[in-house]
Amino acid sequence: RRVLEPLLAAGAVEHLTGADLKALERSVEVCEPFVASLESALDQRHEDIHFHDVLAAANPNAFLRCVCLIINQMLHSLVIVAGNVTQKDYQAFGRQTVAAHSAILDAARRRDSGAVEQLMAAHMEEAEGQLRKVHAALKQKLVLDSDLDLHAGKKRPS
């Protein structure tokens, strides 16, 4: 994804329509408020991925578009699985994502494909680091949940 997304985004820039730019803007706006409910946080993470879907749809390279859309679909599935991650983890990830998407959108409006490519590359690096943190939190939560399940119904020795 670190290699493909910057190429995809840069290649999409000259093909973005007014409707595409509005969709990217809406995506950023939906993710802007960092609300307290977990359901809203999950919706925002889906919208983060939708931002990338809009860019993919605008890229004329069918193979690159298809591969990136498949990756995005897998990420949508991971958002559902990661529903147990804390709101704090999602907020940190969301803040960085909104800032990156806003910068990418501004560069796309200027039709600066070079800047879009650089910004997307930086965003992918940053997102990977944030996702590692979210994954660690999820893994810890799953271990704790499985520990509880192992001891459910069993009386622990005193």
Side-chain angles (χ1 to χ4, degrees):
R1 189 168 187 227
R2 280 185 295 157
V3 172
L4 298 178
E5 279 286 337
L7 295 173
L8 176 93
V13 169
E14 67 183 76
H15 303 282
L16 291 169
T17 65
D20 293 331
L21 291 170
K22 286 247 187 242
L24 293 171
E25 184 178 309
R26 181 190 169 280
S27 182
V28 170
E29 288 170 358
V30 165
C31 296
E32 190 82 49
F34 302 106
V35 293
S37 79
L38 180 60
E39 183 180 319
S40 295
L42 292 175
D43 290 343
Q44 288 176 322
R45 299 302 60 84
H46 281 293
E47 192 61 38
D48 287 342
I49 299 164
H50 178 69
F51 182 92
H52 295 268
D53 290 338
V54 173
L55 291 171
N59 190 300
N61 182 323
F63 181 74
L64 183 59
R65 182 177 60 242
C66 179
V67 170
C68 289
L69 286 170
I70 289 168
I71 292 169
N72 291 349
Q73 191 58 43
M74 287 188 299
L75 291 172
H76 277 293
S77 298
L78 286 175
V79 168
I80 295 166
V81 171
N84 290 331
V85 177
T86 68
Q87 177 68 8
K88 185 182 101 178
D89 295 318
Y90 273 128
Q91 283 182 350
F93 185 66
R95 282 187 184 92
Q96 289 181 334
T97 299
V98 165
H101 286 182
S102 293
I104 292 165
L105 175 57
D106 290 343
R109 280 191 184 119
R110 295 190 314 271
R111 302 296 182 182
D112 187 344
S113 60
V116 167
E117 185 172 6
Q118 288 177 344
L119 290 164
M120 184 61 80
H123 172 45
M124 289 297 98
E125 294 252 345
E126 186 177 66
E128 182 179 6
Q130 282 297 317
L131 285 174
R132 285 184 195 278
K133 290 177 186 174
V134 168
H135 180 262
L138 177 61
K139 190 173 179 182
Q140 181 180 12
K141 172 93 172 102
L142 291 175
V143 168
L144 292 174
D145 285 351
S146 67
D147 187 44
L148 290 172
D149 289 342
L150 287 174
H151 301 295
K154 291 183 183 178
K155 187 172 183 170
R156 289 189 177 213
S158 313

